[in-house]
């Protein structure tokens, strides 16, 4: 496995592998890898000849009061974990390699970027789309792999790929959870023992929603209120949003039908966690 820092090095490597007829996968990450990331890499390795994983804490997707400076970083640890999976290249550039000082271009997917997490993290998805489009242009992969935990991000990236005619297949991998159900996240590191226990309320509320839907409940507002009620029973939890939306356009719905997304963002102490559930529901 090689660690590359320069765009030119990655392009040279990809060009050589293309001449050999190799298929190439990209797994974009911000590092501090956990089992969710490694699952993406394993899937990429199964599907492709070459796997390139990027490790880059992208400053443009963090707001001024968010945790860019404190976001966990440990490149040596990440390299060892990726090597065990069989990743071929780690692309770990410096910020100056990715962003020009006088850069004026931003990639925006209108309307989809304003809902759910976009409502409380202004500019976040512009930053995501800009860095992902840069990585796509640098690596030019056949496939790129993303986790369902960031469901809105996946939907936005798929729309961007369609709109900008990227010849890349986006592969979504199901949420990877701890044994007790907590969705794996690099930010789980911030949780103390009491907060870690409290964080289980996110998964518990999604299980409650699924139980209600399976039992025949179709009133989205009722289900949402039940989720909110359960989360509010946890003293350490503060809700950012609870939404039930169409998967296709992230618009809120009143009646549960078709492909839906139940999405949560909840602060546990100072740590903002997200989770979601995707269902295809018959009327």
């Amino acid at each position: 496995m090689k660690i590359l820092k320069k765009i030119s090095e990655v392009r040279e490597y990809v060009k050589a592998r293309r001449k050999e007829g190799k298929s190439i996968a990209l797994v974009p990450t911000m590092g501090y890898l956990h089992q969710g990331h490694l699952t993406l890499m394993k899937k990429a390795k199964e599907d492709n000849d070459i796997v390139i994983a990027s490790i880059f804490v992208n400053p443009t997707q963090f707001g001024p009061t968010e945790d860019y400076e404190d976001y966990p970083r440990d490149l040596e640890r990440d390299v060892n974990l990726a090597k065990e999976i069989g990743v071929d290249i780690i692309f770990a550039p410096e910020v100056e390699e990715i962003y020009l000082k006088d850069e004026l271009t931003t990639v925006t997917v209108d309307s989809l970027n304003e809902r759910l997490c976009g409502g409380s993290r202004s500019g976040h998805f512009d930053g995501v789309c800009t860095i992902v489009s840069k990585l796509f242009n640098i690596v030019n992969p056949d496939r790129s792999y993303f986790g369902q935990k960031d469901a809105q991000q996946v939907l936005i990236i798929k729309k961007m790929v369609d709109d900008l005619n990227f010849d890349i297949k986006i592969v979504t991998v199901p949420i990877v959870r701890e044994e007790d159900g907590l969705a794996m996240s690099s930010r789980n590191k911030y949780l103390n023992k009491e907060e870690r226990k409290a964080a289980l309320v996110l998964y518990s509320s999604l299980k409650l929603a699924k139980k209600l839907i399976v039992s025949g409940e179709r009133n989205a507002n009722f289900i949402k209120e039940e989720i909110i009620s359960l989360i509010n029973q946890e003293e350490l939890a503060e809700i950012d949003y609870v939404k039930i939306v169409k998967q296709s356009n992230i618009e809120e719905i009143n009646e549960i039908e078709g492909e839906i997304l139940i999405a949560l963002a909840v602060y546990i102490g100072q740590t903002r966690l997200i989770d979601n559930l995707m269902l295809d529901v018959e009327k």
Side-chain angles (χ1 to χ4, degrees), residues 158-283:
K158 284 182 175 180
K159 182 61 174 167
M160 179 187 78
V161 165
D162 288 343
D163 288 355
L164 298 183
N165 306 114
F166 281 110
D167 187 17
I168 299 169
K169 181 179 180 181
I170 303 302
V171 181
T172 309
V173 177
I175 296 172
V176 179
R177 299 184 180 277
E178 305 281 359
E179 287 187 12
D180 56 9
L182 181 66
M184 289 189 176
S185 168
S186 298
R187 288 189 170 96
N188 290 348
K189 177 180 182 289
Y190 299 153
L191 302 171
N192 63 33
K193 188 175 181 180
E194 187 179 6
E195 290 168 342
R196 173 65 178 75
K197 185 177 179 181
L200 295 178
V201 74
L202 277 79
Y203 186 49
S204 297
S205 67
L206 291 173
K207 288 195 295 183
L208 171 62
K210 184 175 181 178
K211 182 179 179 181
L212 289 168
I213 292 169
V214 170
S215 69
E217 182 60 59
R218 295 294 182 266
N219 186 321
N221 292 320
F222 174 79
I223 294 171
K224 188 165 73 171
E225 289 303 318
E226 290 295 298
I227 292 172
I228 291 170
S229 177
L230 179 58
I231 294 173
N232 283 339
Q233 291 176 30
E234 174 51 64
E235 291 183 0
L236 296 178
E238 182 179 344
I239 295 172
D240 182 353
Y241 67 77
V242 174
K243 303 285 187 182
I244 302 178
V245 301
K246 290 181 182 178
Q247 289 183 29
S248 59
N249 57 15
I250 324 180
E251 288 185 355
E252 284 199 79
I253 57 176
N254 294 316
E255 186 175 5
I256 303 293
E257 182 182 4
E259 295 183 340
I260 67 160
L261 169 68
I262 304 174
L264 317 172
V266 179
Y267 285 93
I268 303 294
Q270 298 298 311
T271 304
R272 185 179 182 276
L273 300 177
I274 61 173
D275 205 343
N276 68 79
L277 176 66
M278 285 184 167
L279 294 172
D280 189 354
V281 182
E282 294 182 3
K283 189 170 182 180

Side-chain angles (χ1 to χ4, degrees), residues 23 26 47 60 66 72 93 121 126 136 148 151 160 183 191 214:
S23 59
L26 171 67
D47 296 347
T60 66
E66 294 184 336
R121 302 186 72 188
D126 291 353
F136 284 173
Q148 186 196 310
M160 179 187 78
L191 302 171
V214 170

Side-chain angles (χ1 to χ4, degrees), residues 54-72:
S54 62
I55 294 177
F56 180 70
V57 183
N58 175 39
T60 66
Q61 68 189 70
F62 288 80
T65 62
E66 294 184 336
D67 57 342
Y68 174 70
E69 296 296 338
D70 297 327
Y71 195 85

Side-chain angles (χ1 to χ4, degrees), residues 20 24 62 81 89-91 118 146 176 185 211 243 257:
E20 297 168 357
I24 295 174
F62 288 80
L81 289 170
I89 295 292
I90 293 289
F91 179 42
F146 296 86
V176 179
S185 168
K211 182 179 179 181
K243 303 285 187 182
E257 182 182 4

